[in-house]
Amino acid sequence: LKSFRYRSQDISEEALCKDLLYVFQGIDGQNISFSILEDSFVLAPNVNVSESTRKLVTEMCELGWLYKKVNDFMNRNIDSTYCDQVTQSLCFAFQAELTEFYRLIAILENQHQNYDETDPANCLNLRKLYLHIQEPMERMKWLAIIVDSIQGLKGGTIISSIHSYVLHGSPVTKMLLSKLLREVSAPILTMIKTWMIEGELNDPFQEFFVSMDPNVPNDLIWTQKYDLKPSMIPSFLTNDFARKILLTGKAVNFIKKCCHEEDWVLDANEHIPFNADTFSSDENSYSTLQNWVDHAYKVTNKELIELMFDKYQFLTHCRALRKYLLLGQGDFIQNLMDSMVNELSKPAGQLYKYNLLGILESAVRSSNANMTDSEFLKRLDVRLLEASPGDNGWDIFSLDYKIDAPINTILTPEIIQGYLKIFSLLWKLKRVEHSLNKTWVQQTSYKNELYSLKEIRSDLHRCNLLRNEMLHYINNLHSYLQVEVIESEWKKFQEDLDHAEDLYDIMRVQRKFIEVIHKRAMLTHEHIELYQLMIKIFEQIHQFSRTQDILYSSALEEYHKRQSMMDDGDEYSQVISPDASNTLKQLGKYYRANFDKFNEALSILEIDEKYLSFRLDFNEFYKDSRERESISQI
Amino acid sequence: SRPFFDKHIPNQRKKVYEEKPKPIGTFPVEIQETLLLEDLLHAMNSVEGVYIRRINVENEYESSRYVYRVEPDEEQSTCDFSLLYLIGKILPMCNNHDRVLEFVSTHSHFEYGQVSQALCGAINILLKEYLVLVTQLDTEFVKGNLTLQKTWFYIQQSMRMMENLNKLAVDAADKRGGALLNVIYKFLTITSDKSIKELFSFLLEKAAEPFLKILMKWIYFGVLNDPFDEFLVEEDPSMNKDNIEKDFNDSYWQKRFTFREDMIPIFLGKLSIKILHTGKYLNVIRECGKEIKHPCEQEIKISINQSVLNKGNSQASLIQHKDFSEPIETAHSWSSQRLLDLFLVEERLMDRIKSIKHYFFLDLGDFFIHFFDSADKYLENNTKEVSNDKLKSLLEMAIRTSTANADPFKDDLTCELNNYSLIEQIFVMQNIRGAFGTNAYAADAGSGQRHNFPQVPISGMNSIQNYKCVDSFTLDYKVQWPLTLIISRRAITKYQLIFRHLFLCKYIERHLGNSWLMHQGTKELNLDTFLLASYNLRHRMHHFCKNYVYYIVVEVLEPNFHKFKQNMEKVKTVDEILELHNTFLDQCLKECLLTDQNLLKIVIKIVNCCFFFSRIMHRQAATIQEEDSVLTAQNMVIDTNEGPSAYCKYRQTKINAERESAKKAITESGYKSMIEKFTKTFDTNLKQFMNAIKASHYDPYISNLLMRLDFNGFYAENLLSQFEGFG
C-alpha cells in the first residue's frame, strides 16, 4: 500500500522534512532554497512531488521566510554600539522568542534522527511537522509584523507602536505582545526612574521623552534647560503623566543644583516599590507605575515648595514686595513721600542715587518698616530710570527690590518689572494725592485772610470746588486700586499659593497675580486709552495745584499790601492775577471733560471696573450736570 | 516587502495538470480506497489532492463557493460507487473546515475588533485539536490501519463541530462586539445537543472576555476604553458639558452616553440600563476631577450553568446570571450613591435649590422690598434707557442689606433684561418644543436640531425698545458643573418664567398699594361721591392682585416645593433627582397658569389694566399736590406765632383749595368716562378669567383661586349675572 502513497515522488518525506528543518532557520536545504525572485523559499520545481505535498511544503516554507525577516532585523541591530536601547531590548526579547523556537526545532530534529522504519507512528512526517509549527508560525508572524511596523522608529515611538498591537483580543497573541512590550519598556522605565530619583538623564541615543539642552546654564534649570519631546512619549503614558515625570526630574535637579541641597534623596521606593522588570501592559502594573510616579512627584515637589517657602522664604519676599512696591506699608510710604518731595522736584540730572538711598534709609527707620527683617530691608533699593531731557526726579524715580537665586526663578525680572509698573502708577497717584492735600492746607490756612478780598472770592470758591472734585476722584481711584484690586487679588494669590503643587504652579499663580492686577489697574495695552486719560488728569491736578499756588501767593501779596494800604487809607485798584483765574476756569473745564471721558470709558468695561465708575458718580451728580448741559445747549 | 502569505484562502487559479492522473476507476477498489484516503487527509487539511479537488459551484443559495469533489473534471466519477457515496458524506466537513479557516484568517484582523479576535483565538484552539485528530488519522494511515469506514467513525464529533462552526461563521460574517456575542448566544440557546452547547459556551466565554474587560473598566472607573466601537455604550464627544449652561435645549445628560443598540448583548438583559447609568454616573464624578476608588471591584466572568448543560433542562437560564448581575448591581448602587453624595453633600444641591427659590419665588420678602424701593423708578422706564449694570448694582445692594445676605450662594445671582416679554418667551418655547411641560426624557426624543432660543427670530415680535423694564426684568443664576446637570439652562428658564410672572404681579400689587395710600389722602376732601367709583375699582383690583399672588406663592409654589423636598429625601439615583426637579418645575408652571396661553393672556390683561389704573391714579394725585403746593406758595405763609388755631385755619384753607382743584379735575367729563372704561375692561377680563377657570372643569388647584377671588359671592351675584345680559 505504501508504494501508492509515494508512488510518483522522487524524494522521500524524510528528506523534505530535513530540508524544512533547515529552512525554518533560514538555511537553504538540498531541494528547498531561497529564491530572491519570488522572495520566499521554494521547492525546486524540477523535483517531482505531488501537488498537495508541494502546497504543504510551500506553506511551511513561509515560516522560514518569516524567520529570515526577524533574523535579518536582529542582525542589523544587535551591534549595541549603534543601536538605541529600546531596539536593543527588543532584539533581546526576540532572541528569547527565537531560543524557544530553536528548542522546538531541536526536538523535531531529534525525532527526525530517531527515525525508525519499523515504527512509522513515531517518525516525523510532513503532516506532523505541519501540526507542530502551527504555533511557532503564529508567533513568528507577529514578530515579523512588529519588525515591519517599527521600521525607522526609535525609543518611545517603538513602544507606542508595539503598544498599539497589545489591544488584540486573542489571549495568546495578547500575551506574546505584552511580554514584548514589557521587555521593550524596561529601558525607558529605568530612565524614568533614574530621572525622577537622581535627576540624571542617561540617554545616549535620544530616545527618552525628556531632553536636555547642555548649553543652558544652571540658573535656568527650571525654565529652559529641560523639555518634553512629545513624539517620544510612549502611548501608554498620558501627556499629563509625562509632564509630571518631567517636573519631578526638573525639581530634583533644581533642589540639587540651585538650592544647594545635594544630599537630598527621594525615598519613594519605600512606599511603593517600583520595578521596571515586572512592568506589563495590564492595568495593575500600570496603576502601580502611576501611583509611584504620583508619589514621587508629590514628595519631590512638596520638598521643593517647602524649600522655597522655608529656606528661601518666598512668601516673605512676596509680602515685602506688597508692602513696599505695592504701597502696603502706609506709614513708610507717607514718610518717603514727605521726605522725597523736595529731592524729586529737582531736574533729573541733579538727582543722585546716594541721596535718595539716604532718604529711603531714614524713611525706613522712622516707620514701622523698621520692624521687618533686615534680610528683606536690604534688598530694598532705588532705581533711577533712563532720563530724557526735561524730566524731573518724579519721572525717573522708582523703588526696586533685589532678588537673587534661586527665588529669581519664580520672581523673575519680568515679574519684578510688573511690580515696578504697578508701583509707578501708585506712586504717581500718591504724589497727586499729596499735592492735593497741600492745596487743602493752603486753602484752609489762608481762608480768613483771603475771603476779605471780595473780587477773588469766586475764584477761591472755584478752587475749593475743583479741589473737592479732584480729591473725590483721586480718593476713589486710590481706594479702588488699593482695596479692590490689590488686596482682593492678594487674598486670592495667597489662597492659590496654598493649592500649588509644584514650582510651575507657583510661577503661574505669581504671574496671574501680576497680570490680573495689571489688567484691573488699567495697565495693560487694551486699556491704554484709560491709562492715558488717567495720566492726563494727574497732570491737570498738578497744574491746578501750581495755579492755585500762584493765585494764593499773589493774593496774599495783595492782601498784605492792602493791609498796609488800609493803614495809609489809599485806594486799591489792582486786579489780582487775572491769568491764574483764567487758567483756573480753563482747567475746570478740561478736567471735567477728561473726567467724563474717563468715566465713560470705564463704564463700558467689564463689571469690576464698572463699580469704580458707579462710585465716581455715585449720586449721579455728573450725569445730571451733563444732562443740564445738553438741555441748555438745545 | 511582500505581504504575508495567506494560507487559508483557496487557491483560485485553475490548475492545469500537464499530466492528467489516471482515472481512479482503473484501479482495484482497495487501491481506490487508499488513494482516496490519502487525498481525503489532505482535503481535511485544506489541501487539494490528486483526485479530490476543489470546484467552484454556483447554486441558488450562494453565489459562488468552492467545494471538494472526487474527480471534479470528469462528468461522472469513475470511482467505486459505495466509496464515492461514503466520501461524499465526509467531504462537507472539509468544505466547512475551509470556510472556518477563511473566517478565522479574515476576522482576526484589527478592524473586526477585540471580540472577533478573541473568538478567532478560541476557534483556533478548536482547529488545533482538529489538526491533531487529522495527524492521528494520518499516522493510522501510514500504519496501514485506516479505512474509510473507520475514518467516518472517528470524525463524527469533528464533523458536527465543523458544521456548527461554519454556521456560526456564516452568521457572524459582518458582526462585531456585542452583536457577535449575540450571535454566539443565539446558537447556544437554539442547539439542544450537549456537546455543541459545550462548544458554543466555550466560544462565548472566550469571546466575551475582552467585552467584559471593557465593561469592568466602564462600571468601575467610568472610563470608556473601546477602541473598536464594540461596547454597548457609545460616547458622543461633541456633547460638551459647557453647553449645558447656555443652551436651553442641551441634552448632555441624555446624549453624551447612549446605547449602541446593536451591541447590547441579549444575556445582559435589563442590566444594560444599569450598566449605562453606572458608567455615566462615574463619568460625571470624573469630570469633576475627582478620583474614583471603587471598593467592591471584582472580576466579571460569564460562566455557563453546568447543571443546565448536563441535565439539558431548559427551565433555568443557561448563563449564570448571578455571576455578573451581582457585581453590576453593586457597582450601580455604589456609583449612584457616590454621585448622589456628590450632589447632595459636596455640592449641597438642596441648599442651592433653596437659594434659587429664595430669589426666583420671592421667598425672601425683605430682599424684594429693598429692591423695589431702590429700583422703582428704573423699572417703569423702557429697557433702552436703563443700564443693566445699574440694576445689577441695585440688586446686589438689596441682597447685601437684607436677610439674603446670609445666603452663602448669593453671589451667583445676577439679573438681566430679557429680549422677550413673558408671553412671547412662552410662545417661543412652545414653538420650539411643542408643549414644554413635558419632562426632559420625552422631550428629547424628537429634537435632533438644537436651538438657542433667544436667537430664534419670530416674525411679528416687538423689538426690545417697546418694553417696560418691569416686563423684561428677570433674575439669572450662575450654576457650575456638575450642578448644571440638574439646574440646567432649561430649569433656570423655567424658574425665570415663574419669577417674571410673579415679579410683575407683585410689582403691580405694590403699585395698587401706593394708590391706596394716595386715596387715603383724599379722604378728608369730602369728595366721596365723586371718587367712589375709583375707590371701588381700586379695591377690587387690589383684591384680585393680592389673591392671585397669594395663590401663586402659598397655594402653588410652597406646597409643591415642600413635596419636592420630601421626595428628595428619598431619592436613590441622580436620574430620579432630575425627574423630580423637572416634575416639580413643570407642576409649578402649570399651576401658575403659565402653560395655558389663553388664561395667561387674560391674567396679563387684568394686571396690566391694574397697572395703568394705578399709574393714572398716581399721576392725578401728583397734579393735585402740585397745584396745592403752588397755592401754598402763593398765599400762605404760616405765621407760627399765632398758635395752633392758625395752623388749623391754614389747613382748612389748604383742604378747601385742594378740594376745589381735585373737584375740578374729577368732574371733567374725561375723568368719569375714563374710570368707567377701566371698570368695564377690568370687569370684562375678570369675568372672562373666571369663566375660563370654570370652563377648565375646576382643576382642584385652580378652583381654590376662584373661590378666593369670589369668596362672598359678590361677583357671582353682581358681575356675572349682569354681564350675562350683555352677552
Side-chain angles (χ1 to χ4, degrees), chain A residues 196-220:
Chain A
M196 288 179 72
I197 292 186
E198 335 224 336
E200 299 282 335
L201 270 187
N202 187 4
D203 181 20
F205 301 103
Q206 313 290 319
E207 46 192 336
F208 194 40
F209 52 85
V210 175
S211 65
M212 175 181 77
D213 184 350
N215 301 325
V216 177
N218 274 351
D219 291 1
L220 300 173

mmCIF file of all heavy atoms in Angstrom, chain A residues 196-220:
data_model
loop_
_atom_site.group_PDB
_atom_site.id
_atom_site.type_symbol
_atom_site.label_atom_id
_atom_site.label_comp_id
_atom_site.label_asym_id
_atom_site.label_seq_id
_atom_site.Cartn_x
_atom_site.Cartn_y
_atom_site.Cartn_z
ATOM 1 N N MET A 196 13.757 60.485 37.715
ATOM 2 C CA MET A 196 12.913 61.019 38.779
ATOM 3 C C MET A 196 13.597 60.979 40.132
ATOM 4 O O MET A 196 13.292 61.779 41.006
ATOM 5 C CB MET A 196 11.587 60.268 38.841
ATOM 6 C CG MET A 196 10.710 60.619 37.672
ATOM 7 S SD MET A 196 9.170 59.751 37.706
ATOM 8 C CE MET A 196 8.326 60.542 39.029
ATOM 9 N N ILE A 197 14.479 60.027 40.319
ATOM 10 C CA ILE A 197 15.110 59.931 41.638
ATOM 11 C C ILE A 197 16.403 60.727 41.688
ATOM 12 O O ILE A 197 16.650 61.508 42.611
ATOM 13 C CB ILE A 197 15.352 58.459 42.014
ATOM 14 C CG1 ILE A 197 13.987 57.811 42.225
ATOM 15 C CG2 ILE A 197 16.187 58.359 43.271
ATOM 16 C CD1 ILE A 197 14.052 56.418 42.721
ATOM 17 N N GLU A 198 17.223 60.565 40.680
ATOM 18 C CA GLU A 198 18.514 61.233 40.727
ATOM 19 C C GLU A 198 18.566 62.486 39.864
ATOM 20 O O GLU A 198 19.510 63.269 39.947
ATOM 21 C CB GLU A 198 19.606 60.275 40.258
ATOM 22 C CG GLU A 198 19.210 58.819 40.466
ATOM 23 C CD GLU A 198 20.331 58.011 41.025
ATOM 24 O OE1 GLU A 198 21.457 58.430 40.825
ATOM 25 O OE2 GLU A 198 20.055 56.976 41.645
ATOM 26 N N GLY A 199 17.614 62.619 38.998
ATOM 27 C CA GLY A 199 17.651 63.771 38.115
ATOM 28 C C GLY A 199 18.661 63.628 36.997
ATOM 29 O O GLY A 199 19.012 64.593 36.343
ATOM 30 N N GLU A 200 19.131 62.412 36.802
ATOM 31 C CA GLU A 200 20.136 62.217 35.751
ATOM 32 C C GLU A 200 19.449 61.799 34.464
ATOM 33 O O GLU A 200 18.504 61.030 34.460
ATOM 34 C CB GLU A 200 21.088 61.087 36.166
ATOM 35 C CG GLU A 200 21.846 61.342 37.439
ATOM 36 C CD GLU A 200 23.001 62.297 37.213
ATOM 37 O OE1 GLU A 200 23.474 62.368 36.065
ATOM 38 O OE2 GLU A 200 23.423 62.953 38.181
ATOM 39 N N LEU A 201 19.971 62.304 33.376
ATOM 40 C CA LEU A 201 19.483 61.872 32.072
ATOM 41 C C LEU A 201 20.540 60.984 31.466
ATOM 42 O O LEU A 201 21.612 61.438 31.105
ATOM 43 C CB LEU A 201 19.260 63.068 31.161
ATOM 44 C CG LEU A 201 17.896 63.717 31.171
ATOM 45 C CD1 LEU A 201 17.846 64.752 30.087
ATOM 46 C CD2 LEU A 201 16.818 62.697 30.957
ATOM 47 N N ASN A 202 20.244 59.695 31.385
ATOM 48 C CA ASN A 202 21.219 58.793 30.810
ATOM 49 C C ASN A 202 20.655 58.281 29.500
ATOM 50 O O ASN A 202 20.042 57.237 29.436
ATOM 51 C CB ASN A 202 21.472 57.650 31.806
ATOM 52 C CG ASN A 202 22.591 56.785 31.350
ATOM 53 O OD1 ASN A 202 23.219 57.074 30.339
ATOM 54 N ND2 ASN A 202 22.837 55.709 32.073
ATOM 55 N N ASP A 203 20.854 59.038 28.487
ATOM 56 C CA ASP A 203 20.101 58.783 27.267
ATOM 57 C C ASP A 203 20.971 59.061 26.044
ATOM 58 O O ASP A 203 20.807 60.041 25.334
ATOM 59 C CB ASP A 203 18.871 59.704 27.267
ATOM 60 C CG ASP A 203 18.019 59.503 26.058
ATOM 61 O OD1 ASP A 203 18.131 58.446 25.408
ATOM 62 O OD2 ASP A 203 17.254 60.411 25.737
ATOM 63 N N PRO A 204 21.941 58.172 25.785
ATOM 64 C CA PRO A 204 22.902 58.457 24.701
ATOM 65 C C PRO A 204 22.255 58.459 23.317
ATOM 66 O O PRO A 204 22.799 59.050 22.401
ATOM 67 C CB PRO A 204 23.920 57.322 24.832
ATOM 68 C CG PRO A 204 23.210 56.248 25.566
ATOM 69 C CD PRO A 204 22.222 56.904 26.449
ATOM 70 N N PHE A 205 21.100 57.820 23.181
ATOM 71 C CA PHE A 205 20.526 57.706 21.835
ATOM 72 C C PHE A 205 19.303 58.598 21.640
ATOM 73 O O PHE A 205 18.544 58.423 20.708
ATOM 74 C CB PHE A 205 20.173 56.251 21.549
ATOM 75 C CG PHE A 205 21.343 55.330 21.623
ATOM 76 C CD1 PHE A 205 21.528 54.517 22.719
ATOM 77 C CD2 PHE A 205 22.273 55.312 20.593
ATOM 78 C CE1 PHE A 205 22.624 53.679 22.793
ATOM 79 C CE2 PHE A 205 23.370 54.477 20.666
ATOM 80 C CZ PHE A 205 23.556 53.657 21.769
ATOM 81 N N GLN A 206 19.086 59.504 22.545
ATOM 82 C CA GLN A 206 17.967 60.449 22.406
ATOM 83 C C GLN A 206 16.639 59.736 22.255
ATOM 84 O O GLN A 206 15.855 60.026 21.374
ATOM 85 C CB GLN A 206 18.159 61.358 21.176
ATOM 86 C CG GLN A 206 19.520 61.959 21.057
ATOM 87 C CD GLN A 206 19.777 63.001 22.116
ATOM 88 O OE1 GLN A 206 18.902 63.793 22.420
ATOM 89 N NE2 GLN A 206 20.947 62.988 22.690
ATOM 90 N N GLU A 207 16.400 58.741 23.092
ATOM 91 C CA GLU A 207 15.138 58.036 22.932
ATOM 92 C C GLU A 207 14.166 58.297 24.077
ATOM 93 O O GLU A 207 13.029 57.876 24.038
ATOM 94 C CB GLU A 207 15.394 56.534 22.794
ATOM 95 C CG GLU A 207 16.368 56.009 23.808
ATOM 96 C CD GLU A 207 16.838 54.610 23.485
ATOM 97 O OE1 GLU A 207 16.111 53.899 22.790
ATOM 98 O OE2 GLU A 207 17.923 54.241 23.943
ATOM 99 N N PHE A 208 14.613 59.028 25.075
ATOM 100 C CA PHE A 208 13.739 59.343 26.201
ATOM 101 C C PHE A 208 12.903 60.574 25.833
ATOM 102 O O PHE A 208 13.265 61.324 24.943
ATOM 103 C CB PHE A 208 14.609 59.635 27.429
ATOM 104 C CG PHE A 208 13.855 59.654 28.725
ATOM 105 C CD1 PHE A 208 12.855 58.738 28.980
ATOM 106 C CD2 PHE A 208 14.153 60.591 29.703
ATOM 107 C CE1 PHE A 208 12.174 58.747 30.181
ATOM 108 C CE2 PHE A 208 13.471 60.609 30.895
ATOM 109 C CZ PHE A 208 12.480 59.689 31.140
ATOM 110 N N PHE A 209 11.790 60.734 26.534
ATOM 111 C CA PHE A 209 10.926 61.852 26.155
ATOM 112 C C PHE A 209 11.271 63.155 26.861
ATOM 113 O O PHE A 209 10.589 64.155 26.686
ATOM 114 C CB PHE A 209 9.444 61.505 26.321
ATOM 115 C CG PHE A 209 9.085 60.954 27.661
ATOM 116 C CD1 PHE A 209 8.794 61.793 28.705
ATOM 117 C CD2 PHE A 209 9.024 59.577 27.862
ATOM 118 C CE1 PHE A 209 8.457 61.278 29.944
ATOM 119 C CE2 PHE A 209 8.698 59.066 29.098
ATOM 120 C CZ PHE A 209 8.425 59.916 30.142
ATOM 121 N N VAL A 210 12.309 63.128 27.700
ATOM 122 C CA VAL A 210 12.780 64.389 28.266
ATOM 123 C C VAL A 210 14.117 64.690 27.612
ATOM 124 O O VAL A 210 14.963 63.818 27.503
ATOM 125 C CB VAL A 210 12.974 64.271 29.789
ATOM 126 C CG1 VAL A 210 13.579 65.547 30.335
ATOM 127 C CG2 VAL A 210 11.661 63.975 30.462
ATOM 128 N N SER A 211 14.264 65.898 27.138
ATOM 129 C CA SER A 211 15.531 66.231 26.511
ATOM 130 C C SER A 211 16.171 67.382 27.267
ATOM 131 O O SER A 211 15.489 68.179 27.911
ATOM 132 C CB SER A 211 15.309 66.625 25.058
ATOM 133 O OG SER A 211 14.558 67.798 24.999
ATOM 134 N N MET A 212 17.492 67.456 27.171
ATOM 135 C CA MET A 212 18.204 68.480 27.918
ATOM 136 C C MET A 212 19.030 69.295 26.942
ATOM 137 O O MET A 212 19.562 68.773 25.975
ATOM 138 C CB MET A 212 19.114 67.815 28.938
ATOM 139 C CG MET A 212 19.982 68.787 29.687
ATOM 140 S SD MET A 212 21.044 67.947 30.858
ATOM 141 C CE MET A 212 22.290 67.296 29.796
ATOM 142 N N ASP A 213 19.090 70.579 27.192
ATOM 143 C CA ASP A 213 19.955 71.418 26.389
ATOM 144 C C ASP A 213 21.204 71.703 27.213
ATOM 145 O O ASP A 213 21.156 72.465 28.176
ATOM 146 C CB ASP A 213 19.213 72.720 26.047
ATOM 147 C CG ASP A 213 20.035 73.580 25.128
ATOM 148 O OD1 ASP A 213 21.212 73.250 24.930
ATOM 149 O OD2 ASP A 213 19.499 74.571 24.626
ATOM 150 N N PRO A 214 22.323 71.096 26.875
ATOM 151 C CA PRO A 214 23.509 71.217 27.742
ATOM 152 C C PRO A 214 24.077 72.636 27.768
ATOM 153 O O PRO A 214 24.873 72.965 28.647
ATOM 154 C CB PRO A 214 24.498 70.229 27.131
ATOM 155 C CG PRO A 214 24.021 69.997 25.745
ATOM 156 C CD PRO A 214 22.559 70.230 25.718
ATOM 157 N N ASN A 215 23.683 73.463 26.822
ATOM 158 C CA ASN A 215 24.265 74.807 26.781
ATOM 159 C C ASN A 215 23.608 75.771 27.757
ATOM 160 O O ASN A 215 24.104 76.882 27.961
ATOM 161 C CB ASN A 215 24.144 75.380 25.370
ATOM 162 C CG ASN A 215 24.844 74.498 24.368
ATOM 163 O OD1 ASN A 215 25.876 73.910 24.685
ATOM 164 N ND2 ASN A 215 24.260 74.350 23.191
ATOM 165 N N VAL A 216 22.463 75.363 28.289
ATOM 166 C CA VAL A 216 21.760 76.277 29.184
ATOM 167 C C VAL A 216 22.398 76.222 30.575
ATOM 168 O O VAL A 216 22.632 75.136 31.101
ATOM 169 C CB VAL A 216 20.272 75.878 29.268
ATOM 170 C CG1 VAL A 216 19.541 76.761 30.256
ATOM 171 C CG2 VAL A 216 19.626 75.995 27.903
ATOM 172 N N PRO A 217 22.702 77.371 31.137
ATOM 173 C CA PRO A 217 23.342 77.375 32.461
ATOM 174 C C PRO A 217 22.392 76.915 33.551
ATOM 175 O O PRO A 217 21.168 76.860 33.344
ATOM 176 C CB PRO A 217 23.723 78.832 32.658
ATOM 177 C CG PRO A 217 22.786 79.589 31.798
ATOM 178 C CD PRO A 217 22.534 78.735 30.603
ATOM 179 N N ASN A 218 22.940 76.644 34.710
ATOM 180 C CA ASN A 218 22.151 76.093 35.807
ATOM 181 C C ASN A 218 21.087 77.045 36.322
ATOM 182 O O ASN A 218 20.106 76.622 36.906
ATOM 183 C CB ASN A 218 23.063 75.703 36.962
ATOM 184 C CG ASN A 218 23.590 74.300 36.759
ATOM 185 O OD1 ASN A 218 23.129 73.603 35.848
ATOM 186 N ND2 ASN A 218 24.548 73.896 37.566
ATOM 187 N N ASP A 219 21.277 78.342 36.100
ATOM 188 C CA ASP A 219 20.282 79.305 36.583
ATOM 189 C C ASP A 219 18.919 79.043 35.970
ATOM 190 O O ASP A 219 17.889 79.294 36.569
ATOM 191 C CB ASP A 219 20.694 80.735 36.198
ATOM 192 C CG ASP A 219 21.911 81.149 36.966
ATOM 193 O OD1 ASP A 219 22.388 80.315 37.747
ATOM 194 O OD2 ASP A 219 22.362 82.287 36.787
ATOM 195 N N LEU A 220 18.972 78.572 34.750
ATOM 196 C CA LEU A 220 17.711 78.442 34.019
ATOM 197 C C LEU A 220 17.213 77.007 33.996
ATOM 198 O O LEU A 220 16.488 76.608 33.101
ATOM 199 C CB LEU A 220 17.894 78.950 32.587
ATOM 200 C CG LEU A 220 18.305 80.412 32.512
ATOM 201 C CD1 LEU A 220 18.631 80.805 31.091
ATOM 202 C CD2 LEU A 220 17.209 81.306 33.066
#
